[in-house]
């Protein structure tokens, strides 16, 4: 039996990104503000006429605004490896020989490094900074690509979800820590930068760091989620670590992240807060460049602890000690919001199926996912 479907919508998020109030949208569309409110809250299913008007006014397709979400159904599958009893596990599925096979997403299977297909081959003929590229793929595919830089593997999960929802969309995700991602955005190399930097002086995330290096661009911050950040430790926490103070024990070795990363910044803040010199922590200068590398270093016994997120600890079967609730925001040059690939990518932030994926990772709060945090004006 096919499950019943429920009408969902992305109207509020798209309206907010365009800077329209409910009253503004109602006036332009020719309906009442109560109608807009009812549609956004899911209490009112719009007619085809109203749905088409809304899409036209907001410059998008009806499918960008409304979709039918089916209830979840239960199926039975055969796992390819042992799965803990009564513990939820993220899985991929495939039908093989008439059987539904489940592939548990543990360790590197959850956060995999893949060879990326190229769009072409390029070379430089002169000292000019530009290169000549022989395309192997269509220009249309390139025009439908949105580029994002950030450090969380969640970006690849979101990218795949968006590509499934919009078959013509392609998401190009490149790894960069928070500062590098922001700098790449301001250099015009990507559409979106992901950041999770904390300022203890203002008890806020990201905004002050952006203002420090912002030039002449108007930026919009959109929330991707809040995550639990802290110490990843060996399974069962055999060294009985509780806080960063325990890292001063000479028997404890840590692995650290590079300058510009949110994890490195959090560790330094917590050590400074407890007046602990960095030199008192063994392994402080043992640097790796990703959340996954932190987990791999600890899982192989080369370090006892390191700062990362709960989702990474869960994926690698490691212990986790929460120390901070971090805010991960997407930074976008406002003009880019008019570009169709960017609109499509951001539209998927409102889908419950994406939220379910994020929540299942562990330590994720999606209560503000897709919401505009603020708009930052350029310096005078």
């Amino acid at each position: 039996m096919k499950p019943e479907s429920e009408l969902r919508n992305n109207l509020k998020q798209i309206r907010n990104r365009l800077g329209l109030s409910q009253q503004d949208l109602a006036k332009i569309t020719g309906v009442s503000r109560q109608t807009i409110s009812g549609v956004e809250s899911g209490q009112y299913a719009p007619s085809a006429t109203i749905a088409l008007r809304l899409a036209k006014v907001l410059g998008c397709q009806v499918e960008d605004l409304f979709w039918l979400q089916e209830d979840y159904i239960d199926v039975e599958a055969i796992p390819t490896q042992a799965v803990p009893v009564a513990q939820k596990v993220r899985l991929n599925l495939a039908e093989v020989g008439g059987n539904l096979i489940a592939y548990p997403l543990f360790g590197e299977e959850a956060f995999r490094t893949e060879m990326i297909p190229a769009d072409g081959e390029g070379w430089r003929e002169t000292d000019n900074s530009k290169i000549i590229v022989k395309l192997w793929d269509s220009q249309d595919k390139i025009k439908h690509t949105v580029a994002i830089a950030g450090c969380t593997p969640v970006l690849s999960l979101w990218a795949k979800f968006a590509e499934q929802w919009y078959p013509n969309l392609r998401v190009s995700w490149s790894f960069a820590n928070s500062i590098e991602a922001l700098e790449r955005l301001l250099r015009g190399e990507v559409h979106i930068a992901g950041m999770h930097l904390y300022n203890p002086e203002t008890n806020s995330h990201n905004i002050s760091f952006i203002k420090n290096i912002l030039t002449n661009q108007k930026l919009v911050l959109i929330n991707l989620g809040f995550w639990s950040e802290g110490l990843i430790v060996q399974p069962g926490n055999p060294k009985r670590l509780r806080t960063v103070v325990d890292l001063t024990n000479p028997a404890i070795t840590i692995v650290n992240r590079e300058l510009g990363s949110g994890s490195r910044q959090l560790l330094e803040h917590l050590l400074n807060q407890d007046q602990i010199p960095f030199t008192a922590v063994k392994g402080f200068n043992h640097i790796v460049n990703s959340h996954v590398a932190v987990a791999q270093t600890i899982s192989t016994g080369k370090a006892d602890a390191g700062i990362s997120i709960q989702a990474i600890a869960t994926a690698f079967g490691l212990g986790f000690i929460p120390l901070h609730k971090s805010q991960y925001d997407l930074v976008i040059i406002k003009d880019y919001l008019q570009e169709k690939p960017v609109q499509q990518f951001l539209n998927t932030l409102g889908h419950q199926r994406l939220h379910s994926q994020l929540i299942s990772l562990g330590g994720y709060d999606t209560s503000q996912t897709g919401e505009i945090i603020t708009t930052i004006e350029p310096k005078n």
Side-chain angles (χ1 to χ4, degrees), residues 56-128:
K56 183 177 180 180
V57 167
L58 296 174
C60 60
Q61 302 294 316
V62 172
E63 294 88 342
D64 297 337
L65 290 175
F66 303 99
W67 64 93
L68 289 173
Q69 180 157 302
E70 297 178 342
D71 293 336
Y72 298 130
I73 59 175
D74 295 331
V75 296
E76 289 187 341
I78 303 170
T80 58
Q81 59 179 288
V83 173
V85 175
Q87 178 179 323
K88 290 185 177 180
V89 175
R90 299 173 62 246
L91 306 161
N92 277 336
L93 300 170
E95 190 169 311
V96 181
N99 294 318
L100 193 60
I101 306 300
Y103 307 92
L105 296 179
F106 293 140
E108 292 185 1
E109 292 300 315
F111 300 101
R112 186 182 304 163
T113 301
E114 301 173 338
M115 186 68 75
I116 306 299
D119 290 322
E121 185 176 52
W123 62 92
R124 178 179 285 115
E125 290 189 334
T126 67
D127 290 335
N128 193 302

Side-chain angles (χ1 to χ4, degrees), residues 210-230:
I210 296 170
K211 289 182 176 179
N212 282 341
I213 63 175
L214 181 60
T215 54
N216 59 348
Q217 302 284 8
K218 188 172 185 178
L219 303 181
V220 176
L221 265 68
I222 297 176
N223 182 249
L224 179 61
F226 295 84
W227 61 23
S228 185
E229 197 167 10

Side-chain angles (χ1 to χ4, degrees), residues 322-368:
L323 299 175
H324 179 69
K325 185 176 182 180
S326 186
Q327 178 176 326
Y328 198 97
D329 291 328
L330 307 168
V331 191
I332 308 165
I333 294 174
K334 189 172 183 181
D335 289 346
Y336 292 167
L337 294 176
Q338 306 302 319
E339 299 186 16
K340 187 173 180 179
V342 175
Q343 290 178 351
Q344 290 180 330
F345 192 36
L346 295 175
N347 287 346
T348 61
L349 285 176
H351 288 242
Q352 188 58 42
R353 290 188 183 276
L354 175 62
H355 290 208
S356 297
Q357 292 275 0
L358 296 176
I359 293 170
S360 73
L361 293 171
Y364 260 88
D365 174 359
T366 62
S367 60
Q368 293 186 46

